Amino acid sequence: MNTKLKKNFYLKLAKAKGLISLKQYEEAFSFLEDAHVLGQRYIIPHTITHIYMLKIGFLQKDLKEIIGQLFRIPTGVLGSMFGILPIGNTGGSNVPPFKKMEVRDDLQKMLQ
């Protein structure tokens, strides 16, 4: 992960963590989705985003999100390891786990 991408990933993650502590879960999840897009090619950042999504699932008692993240954590590790990922997928249980999605322009610039 290059320096610019790493910086942007951890900025999104820090913002999400701050919002989680304020119990602003929907907004935090949005930042985690961005972090997921930025970090999904790398095992540790990819896994971190899913762990925090799982945490939000537990905090909101959202069974769909909990089950979805419990599936996505191990498959995400394998996907990152072998480079078989649905690029642009935001990582939440509100989207199919293998669906490719268009990357927003602002995130695309961070990925370049």
Side-chain angles (χ1 to χ4, degrees):
M1 183 178 262
N2 69 47
T3 306
K4 177 183 158 191
L5 183 56
K6 189 175 193 175
K7 176 185 171 193
N8 284 302
F9 171 82
Y10 282 105
L11 283 172
K12 299 279 187 184
L13 184 63
K15 185 70 172 172
K17 287 178 179 182
L19 290 164
I20 291 169
S21 70
L22 297 172
K23 298 182 180 178
Q24 295 177 6
Y25 303 127
E26 287 182 31
E27 193 173 350
F29 204 89
S30 178
F31 280 95
L32 289 173
E33 289 174 322
D34 288 352
H36 181 269
V37 171
L38 296 175
Q40 73 182 134
R41 291 182 288 168
Y42 306 93
I43 296 171
I44 293 173
H46 190 190
T47 305
I48 289 170
T49 59
H50 284 297
I51 290 169
Y52 276 96
M53 288 177 175
L54 176 62
K55 180 177 182 171
I56 289 175
F58 277 116
L59 291 169
Q60 292 188 301
K61 298 176 176 63
D62 182 343
L63 189 58
K64 180 182 176 190
E65 196 62 48
I66 293 167
I67 292 169
Q69 293 308 322
L70 289 173
F71 170 78
R72 283 166 170 82
I73 290 170
T75 58
V77 167
L78 293 172
S80 293
M81 187 182 303
F82 295 110
I84 49 171
L85 300 164
I87 301 303
N89 188 293
T90 53
S93 293
N94 59 328
V95 296
F98 302 108
K99 179 180 180 181
K100 289 184 180 182
M101 301 171 73
E102 190 169 326
V103 178
R104 285 193 336 254
D105 288 342
D106 62 321
L107 296 177
Q108 187 65 46
K109 287 177 185 174
M110 293 176 198
L111 287 167
Q112 294 173 346

